[in-house]
Amino acid sequence: MTASTTVPRISATVGAGGTNTAADVRVVQDLLNRAARAELAVDGDCGPATCGAIRSYQSGFLNAPDGRVDPDGLTLRRLAADAGERSEAPRSDPATASGPADGARLTQFARQGPGHYAYADSERQYGTDAMLQLLTGTAAALHRAGLEMGVSDISFVQGGLMPPHRTHQGGRHVDLRPLRTDHARGPVSIGDPVYSRDGTRALVESLLSHSAVRRVLFNDTEIAGVRSYPGHHNHLHVEVGQ
C-alpha cells in the first residue's frame, strides 16, 4: 500500500463470523470488485459468494485465509491499495463517491425540502446530476402548486444491485408515490379512496416537462404520458437518460 492510499472505514467486521452491517458489506463488495474483479452484487448481503471472494483474495497474501475483513485490518488495507482507493473519506460520502461502473458520479438527494419528502433509507437515495435536477425541479413545481411528492429508492452510492429491483443500479431510476387527496405522507394505490388523480397528473406533467425523462411507468391509464407496467399501481417508476 502506498503512502497516499486512504483506507475506507467500516464500522465492524465483514465476512465469516462478522457483524456484517449492510453498509460495511457494500464497501467491501465494492473493493473486492475493483481490486480482484470479484463480480459481486453490491447489495449489502454477506452471503457465500462474498465470503468466498474474501478468502480467495486473502489467499494471495495469507497462509490461512479466514474470510473476514476487520476495520483497519490487513485485508482492508490491501483491498484499498489494490483498488486504487484515493478518497480521504469513506465511500458512503456523497461528495467523494465514484459512482457506478459507467463512471457517473452519484450524489445523495436531500431527505426533505419544499415539495418533497423521503420514504426510503438515505443509503438508497443517490442519483446522477440529471436525476437530482429532475427531482429538485419537480419538487419546486409541486411546492408552488401546494403539493408534495414522496421519493423512494434511487441507487446506492456505489451503484450495483438494489434488491428487490432489477434497475436502480446507476442513479438513473427513482420510485415516487402517487399523491393523495388528504395530502398525508403515506402509501396510496390507484384504487384507494384517497388517491388523487389530479395531483398525480400534476406530478407526471412536471416530470415529463424535463427532457431528461425517458419514461414514467404507472398504471393509471387516465393520466397522459405514463406506461402501464405490472406492479406499478402504488408507485411511479421514473427513468432519466445520461
Side-chain angles (χ1 to χ4, degrees):
M1 182 174 64
T2 66
S4 62
T5 300
T6 299
V7 179
R9 294 191 292 270
I10 58 175
S11 64
T13 54
V14 171
T19 303
N20 293 323
T21 301
D24 292 339
V25 173
R26 283 195 294 273
V27 169
V28 172
Q29 289 170 330
D30 178 56
L31 288 172
L32 285 164
N33 286 344
R34 292 189 290 124
R37 298 183 180 179
E39 298 184 356
L40 297 168
V42 184
D43 57 6
D45 180 14
C46 190
T50 298
C51 291
I54 295 171
R55 287 193 181 93
S56 177
Y57 178 75
Q58 289 175 324
S59 67
F61 57 91
L62 292 179
N63 291 328
D66 60 8
R68 190 179 69 220
V69 180
D70 297 321
D72 298 321
L74 175 61
T75 300
L76 185 61
R77 296 197 302 272
R78 291 290 296 261
L79 279 169
D82 289 345
E85 181 65 49
R86 292 294 183 266
S87 172
E88 292 300 323
R91 293 190 58 76
S92 59
D93 186 338
T96 59
S98 64
D102 63 4
R105 176 181 179 274
L106 303 187
T107 304
Q108 188 178 45
F109 185 56
R111 297 289 292 164
Q112 184 169 327
H116 79 275
Y117 66 94
Y119 69 101
D121 292 341
S122 59
E123 64 186 18
R124 301 171 72 91
Q125 294 196 309
Y126 287 83
T128 61
D129 290 346
M131 174 59 74
L132 268 60
Q133 289 168 9
L134 169 68
L135 294 176
T136 300
T138 300
L142 291 178
H143 180 63
R144 290 192 294 270
L147 301 172
E148 185 180 54
M149 67 178 179
V151 182
S152 185
D153 292 343
I154 306 175
S155 291
F156 293 125
V157 64
Q158 65 273 71
L161 292 176
M162 177 184 280
H165 310 289
R166 287 186 295 177
T167 56
H168 295 270
Q169 296 189 39
R172 297 185 174 93
H173 297 255
V174 63
D175 288 344
L176 305 174
R177 269 185 179 152
L179 274 68
R180 299 168 56 108
T181 57
D182 60 4
H183 303 288
R185 293 181 172 182
V188 65
S189 297
I190 292 172
D192 293 343
V194 293
Y195 166 63
S196 173
R197 175 171 291 143
D198 289 341
T200 306
R201 181 180 289 114
L203 169 60
V204 171
E205 289 175 350
S206 179
L207 290 168
L208 294 177
S209 71
H210 294 260
S211 60
V213 173
R214 287 183 172 176
R215 60 178 177 169
V216 178
L217 304 180
F218 186 52
N219 290 346
D220 188 345
T221 57
E222 297 297 315
I223 297 179
V226 303
R227 292 171 49 186
S228 295
Y229 198 81
H232 288 65
H233 56 284
N234 62 354
H235 71 281
L236 297 82
H237 179 103
V238 184
E239 178 185 355
V240 301
Q242 298 293 330

